[in-house]
Amino acid sequence: MKKLLIETFGCQMNVADSEVIASILSSEYSVTADAREADVWMLNTCSIRDNAEQRIRKHLKEIAAYKQRKPSLLVGLLGCMAERIKDQLLKEEEVLDFIAGPDAYRTLPDLLKRAAEGETAYNVTLSETETYENIIPLRYAANGVSAFISIMRGCNNFCSYCVVPYTRGRERSRSPQTILAEAQQLLKDGYKEVTLLGQNVNSYLWQADGKTTTFAQLMEQVALLSPQLRVRFATSHPKDISDELLQVIARYPNVCHYIHLPVQAGSNEMLKRMNRVYTREKYLERVQKIKELIPDCAISTDIIAGFCGETEENHQETLSLMREVGFSYAYMFKYSWRDNTFAARHFTDDIPDEVKSRRLEEIIALQGELSLKSNQEDVGKTFEVLIEGTSKRSTNDLFGRNSQNKVIVFPCSTHTRGEYVRVKVKSCTAATLIGELVEEN
Ligand code: SAH
Ligand code: SF4
Ligand code: F3S
């Protein structure tokens, strides 16, 4: 069998897509992690910020140098960059033998055949229906404990800064039957945790035979498969995280008490410009509701510093909102100008880079404090932890996550990956809880 190397960049959706790609090609190729034995080298790419793309462009230069020594190697670029800048890539990256956008993976066998015949083959056609729903992902890099299940594709939200609606196309949901079958199979294979994935899972909607399934209902059906299977989900858009969903999370102990709820900015002015469709007040109201219905729920977020026209006062409002919510974790970014987005067409990227950097540093420093505080509040508490493996720092320690998605490290020689244990937190850093096994009798 020929060998396939897939390098994945960007979000969890791309990780899930790479498993679909490996599955589609599995009759001809087996996956390798070693470039030296690869017949095909694929990059599944991300366009979300300019630095993500620059990194790939640099990597392509390295691969081009490598290919000089191994001319039979076929090199392909897949994913969001393929969709966004195919023409530019065809012109500027001679190393590429084929290019495939996120909805074109079923045509990869054909693209590869044509590439092998010397053609530069590409397909970046977006689809309004493709969900790869009948393809069983080949989980070639999974840890055997936790897996992603893609429940929908695309995005209709058009946040003004964002390329995703252009690179991934229109939003579409996958049938509940195929999602449940996939979860069921994972359970049989010994997996203990699934993460339901979409750019905006709250707007998941399946309609067939006069029956409608909402995200809250889907979640409940997955949760009911087994109390031994943890269920997570990402990402929730604050504009439509419903009480119905919060009630399901509260009701089922195996649905994790963790919500990733990207806020992006703390001022109504910026939220409006970003086309996020909610206000600061609405966001805080949703957070209040989460805290009321699921008191031990951890909330994490995404924040963008220095969006077009952001004043010092707007920035302060981001900081004050962070304090008010007390996020357990945050992904924080400098605004990156993206060609063809609404922001690129209508606003000026007018915040100087040093100001963006300084604001980002303030946001990162504050989040450091908040993460530490959130972890300190857990010292003395006991959590159920799903063991994921041995700690990188010490082979005597295992690590896993609690329901709140916090990493806990603890010394242990009697348990192993995939088991649930109870761990009492003894101390912490801003990044990790450090605990001790509580032996049950
Ligand atoms: N669908 C998810 C987010 C997907 S992209 C949601 O709506 O929350 C992940 C994060 O990247 C976004 O939440 C945002 O914080 C960030 N991001 C997106 N476009 C960006 C840009 N042009 N510059 C900087 N950060 C950006
Ligand atoms: Fe981008 Fe907004 Fe869609 Fe998230 S919801 S992927 S930020 S357009
Ligand atoms: Fe990046 Fe595409 Fe995901 S732009 S964040 S890989 S949807």
Side-chain angles (χ1 to χ4, degrees), residues 68-280:
Q68 298 257 305
R69 284 179 276 137
K70 190 176 173 183
S72 64
L73 178 73
L74 292 180
V75 180
L77 188 141
L78 285 62
C80 291
M81 268 175 88
E83 200 62 51
R84 204 181 80 81
I85 53 167
K86 178 206 83 198
D87 292 335
Q88 198 180 333
L89 292 170
L90 284 174
K91 247 189 256 141
E92 296 171 3
E93 302 289 354
E94 254 179 59
V95 65
L96 292 177
D97 298 293
F98 61 99
I99 293 180
D103 287 343
Y105 299 148
R106 283 182 204 266
T107 65
L108 276 170
D110 176 55
L111 291 173
L112 274 165
K113 207 163 101 222
R114 282 160 46 201
E117 286 161 5
E119 187 185 333
T120 306
Y122 58 84
N123 182 352
V124 295
T125 308
L126 285 174
S127 156
E128 293 194 352
T129 53
E130 179 65 272
T131 58
Y132 301 112
E133 68 168 13
N134 56 348
I135 292 171
I136 299 159
L138 187 72
R139 302 188 196 269
Y140 61 89
N143 62 1
V145 178
S146 185
F148 295 130
I149 301 182
S150 170
I151 64 162
M152 58 201 294
R153 299 181 71 81
C155 182
N156 286 350
N157 289 323
F158 291 93
C159 301
S160 62
Y161 50 80
C162 185
V163 297
V164 172
Y166 308 94
T167 62
R168 294 265 164 178
R170 293 294 57 74
E171 187 177 287
R172 64 214 96 120
S173 297
R174 175 180 169 192
S175 72
Q177 294 81 353
T178 59
I179 295 167
L180 288 165
E182 196 173 315
Q184 197 63 275
Q185 186 58 48
L186 285 164
L187 199 55
K188 271 202 203 125
D189 294 341
Y191 282 81
K192 296 289 167 61
E193 182 176 87
V194 294
T195 304
L196 308 179
L197 286 184
Q199 293 297 351
N200 175 17
V201 288
N202 304 125
S203 65
Y204 174 89
L205 192 67
W206 182 259
Q207 284 168 305
D209 312 324
K211 245 192 90 204
T212 298
T213 308
T214 64
F215 181 59
Q217 289 162 342
L218 176 73
M219 181 85 127
E220 184 160 27
Q221 290 169 19
V222 179
L224 281 168
L225 289 176
S226 162
Q228 286 293 305
L229 186 71
R230 272 187 178 178
V231 190
R232 299 188 182 278
F233 60 99
T235 298
S236 292
H237 195 298
K239 78 177 161 64
D240 36 26
I241 179 153
S242 66
D243 288 358
E244 189 197 2
L245 177 67
L246 299 181
Q247 279 149 6
V248 171
I249 301 173
R251 194 176 317 134
Y252 293 92
N254 58 326
V255 177
C256 288
H257 289 187
Y258 169 67
I259 300 179
H260 183 59
L261 199 65
V263 67
Q264 315 298 357
S267 68
N268 284 333
E269 237 173 305
M270 285 304 109
L271 289 172
K272 185 146 201 266
R273 284 201 141 198
M274 289 175 164
N275 192 33
R276 289 293 287 181
V277 201
Y278 52 85
T279 59
R280 175 190 177 97

Side-chain angles (χ1 to χ4, degrees), residues 296 374-383 406 408 422-426 433 435-436 438:
D296 66 343
S374 163
N375 282 354
Q376 281 166 343
E377 283 165 8
D378 289 338
V379 175
K381 292 184 193 162
T382 299
F383 294 102
K406 290 187 180 177
I408 306 191
R422 293 186 67 75
V423 179
K424 182 167 184 179
V425 179
K426 294 287 174 184
L433 300 175
E436 216 168 65
V438 179

Side-chain angles (χ1 to χ4, degrees), residues 11 14 45-48 80 164 168 199:
C11 64
N14 260 13
T45 64
C46 174
S47 283
I48 200 83
C80 291
V164 172
R168 294 265 164 178
Q199 293 297 351

